[in-house]
Structures are given as C-alpha cells and as structure tokens.
Amino acid sequence: MAYEVDFLGVGEESKSGDAIAIRFGNLQGSRDEQTVVVIDGGFTKDGESLVTHIQKYYGTSVVDLVISTHPDQDHINGLFAVIEQLDVKNLWIHKPWDEPYGLADLFDDGRVTDNSIGERLKVSLEAAYKLVKLAEEKGIPVQQPFTGLSLGNVKVLGPTEDYYKSLLKDLDGMPKPKRAEDSSFFEAFAGLEGFAKRAMEWIVSKWGEDKLDDDDTTSAKNNTSVITQILVDNNRLVFTGDAGITALDAAADQIDACVSGAKLKFIQIPHHGSKRNVGPSVLDRLLGEPVAQGETRSITAVASSAKQGEPKHAHKAVLNAFTHRGAKVLSTRGNGVCHYSGSPAREGWSPKDAEPYHYKYEDEA
C-alpha cells in the first residue's frame, strides 16, 4: 500500500494550526481501495482549503474518518467546512458534556452537580459541542476517541478515558477544585503564558545536546489531544495534536505493546514544535536514542508552524532534538508539505529540504 500525508499551510502570520489530510491504500486504484482521513482542520478559512485539497488531489468528496484532536480554534474551526461540504462517514471527537464522569465531587462548591458541570463543558468546549451537533444533524456516527478505538488501520493511542477524565477539572470555565494543587499549576500557566513579551537571548547548541527537559508544562486541554496511529504495511504514522510529555509517554506504552512489527516512518512534531511539549526521555522512546552526527533513520518529522511563528513555533531546540535522533525534520512555516510513500510525485510539487541543524538561535531569556 501507498500513502500521502498532507499538512496544509496554516498560519499566515504568527498563529500556528493543524489541518491534515491523509489517504492510504492502492492510490492507483479505485476510491474503494483507499482510505481518506482528516485530522484537524485549522482555522475557519483553512477548512475551505482542506475541502478543495481533498477534492483536487485525492479526487473524492468522501472522507472515511474525521478526527478532532482537541477543541482549540486552530485545530477545530476548519472542520465545520469539512463536515458541511464533504461526505464524512465517521467523526471521532470527545464530548464530555454527555457524561461528566461524576466530577461534581471534585469541586469546593456544594451546589455543583454533574448536570451543571455538563452545561459548563458545553460552554467551555463550545466549538466541539457545535461540531457534534452538526454531525448528528447530518447523520454522521460520532465516537469518543479513547485509547484502543480503531477503524481499519487507524487506531487511537491516547488519551485513555481515565486520563482524559483527570484533565477535565483543569479546563477553562471549571469551578475551583477542592484542593488548589489539583489545578493551580495549569491555571497559573494558562494565565501567565503570553502575559508579557519576554526578553530574548542567543542560544549556542552543539550536536547531541538537547536544550529540553522532561517536565510536562503543557496545558490540560492540550494533553486531552487525540494521539493517532495509522499502519500502512510495515510503516507506522503517528499524529500527536498538541499533546504533552505525559500524554506522549502513555502513547509510547501503546506502541511498545504493539505486535505488528511496524517501524516508525512518520511523526507529527507536537504543538507546532513548542518547547513545552517534548523532552529527551519521551523522544528516546518514540524515535530512539540520539545518533552520531551524519547518521539518519528513515523517519520524517513535521511541525505545522505559522510563517512568523518563530521562535516559539517551531522552536529550534525541538527541531534539533528530532534531528539528533536521525529524523528528517520539516517545518511548514505556513506552507503546505506532502510526505508520501509509494505514490507518484505531484505535478508542481517539489521535494523539501530537511531542516538544517541550528547551532545558534534566539530563545526567551
């Protein structure tokens, strides 16, 4: 089987996003011999581009599966156009308002009930709620993507239902938990991120030196991201959304337990290449330990970043860390990227050079 993975160019200025189209199977055969998957749709306007891309390059208006990794606007808003304009057969998206998991007991306010938490989640996750309603109106089956859910060669590696539940109390709009330490970190981080423009300094790097740590400092919402695996023959393709270290480590457990014998061929660099989402230990698990300079592995890693997203997206320390582990690293910088295997090159598309090693770069002081 062959496959194509398309990252549409999202982010004309500094705001990055994800809009990903994938097809695999006999790409020279009929539509029935292929599977088309969409993972996230970028901002609202990116949805139109995604629809056009699938119709033009995949020659179809039928999408077998749409996956919404999490309800940030740079991931979910474009999916409305996909649901409205294409023939979508399945939607995977979390909908915690339907069953708020007995969360009322976790909060200080005794007036809080599971029903009121469900209503809060509809407001907090409004785009996801509206997307589910649109899909239901169109008769599209909706499933919650927890670990183990699969459709053919597509499988969810994370999050587990229990881990997802543990993150809900830290989402925006939730009441104060009974113990401040349960959510104080995520709330404080979410409130402080971007509060002030920090001073910049030049970082000097040398081969094999990861300028990253193993602390998970991403938000609760980002850690709810669906992590997806697609197996095409003996190739493993992994899509990470905005997942952080804790979520990625659990996904690595699932990969370790896989008996298919598939080798990692492609991985999405989480959260547009943010420094807060990966560390040396989890990268060693997912890609392998660092290689000698000049050595490579047959792995492509792509960060979906805005044209003016640097230094945050994609962070040079993250690009270097993937390069240390032998991956061919690409950063979209607002342009479309197609990674493919077994399919002919497209007319008008040319190969993209791997990211150079960054020996000196700017970073927040």
Side-chain angles (χ1 to χ4, degrees), residues 2 49 78:
S49 300

Side-chain angles (χ1 to χ4, degrees), residues 18 21 62 65 131 138 143-144 152 184 188 203 205 233 322 345 347:
D18 282 342
V62 178
L65 174 62
L131 190 67
K138 294 178 72 67
Q143 291 180 281
Q144 296 205 71
S184 58
I203 303 296
S205 181
D233 290 335
F322 276 81
E347 184 177 353

Side-chain angles (χ1 to χ4, degrees), residues 112-306:
V112 171
T113 65
D114 283 351
N115 189 55
S116 68
I117 290 297
E119 293 303 312
R120 282 176 180 258
L121 287 168
K122 288 179 185 179
V123 175
S124 176
L125 310 178
E126 181 181 11
Y129 179 71
K130 289 182 176 179
L131 190 67
V132 168
K133 290 302 177 186
L134 176 63
E136 290 174 345
E137 289 170 5
K138 294 178 72 67
I140 300 170
V142 179
Q143 291 180 281
Q144 296 205 71
F146 295 119
T147 301
L149 179 66
S150 64
L151 179 68
N153 292 14
V154 185
K155 181 180 179 181
V156 175
L157 299 179
T160 65
E161 190 168 1
D162 285 344
Y163 181 55
Y164 183 82
K165 172 185 173 180
S166 75
L167 297 169
L168 290 177
K169 65 184 182 303
D170 296 312
L171 298 182
D172 292 341
M174 291 296 99
K176 181 181 178 182
K178 286 182 178 178
R179 295 178 311 192
E181 63 266 29
D182 284 343
S183 63
S184 58
F185 169 76
F186 285 121
E187 290 176 349
F189 176 74
L192 290 174
E193 185 177 26
F195 178 76
K197 187 174 182 180
R198 299 187 179 185
M200 305 299 291
E201 65 178 354
W202 284 98
I203 303 296
V204 176
S205 181
K206 62 182 180 180
W207 181 269
E209 181 181 37
D210 290 322
K211 299 286 188 177
L212 302 170
D213 58 49
D214 288 325
D215 296 330
D216 189 345
T217 55
T218 195
S219 68
K221 184 186 284 187
N222 284 343
N223 264 326
T224 66
S225 290
V226 181
I227 303 174
T228 309
Q229 166 186 278
I230 300 178
L231 297 183
V232 184
D233 290 335
N234 202 41
N235 299 313
R236 173 178 285 111
L237 318 177
V238 176
F239 301 87
T240 59
D242 284 357
I245 289 172
T246 306
L248 293 168
D249 209 44
D253 290 339
Q254 294 295 312
I255 293 173
D256 289 346
C258 181
V259 296
S260 69
K263 302 296 184 182
L264 182 66
K265 183 72 173 181
F266 171 89
I267 186 167
Q268 175 189 7
I269 298 176
H271 199 184
H272 324 297
S274 172
K275 187 179 179 180
R276 304 185 189 281
N277 289 68
V278 294
S281 296
V282 75
L283 290 180
D284 286 350
R285 295 194 65 193
L286 291 170
L287 282 80
E289 294 185 356
V291 299
Q293 190 164 8
E295 291 184 17
T296 59
R297 293 185 169 105
S298 297
I299 300 170
T300 298
V302 175
S304 180
S305 58

Side-chain angles (χ1 to χ4, degrees), residues 34-49:
Q34 304 168 16
T35 300
V36 175
V37 179
V38 168
I39 301 179
D40 290 335
F43 296 100
T44 300
K45 65 181 181 62
D46 300 308
E48 298 289 341
S49 300

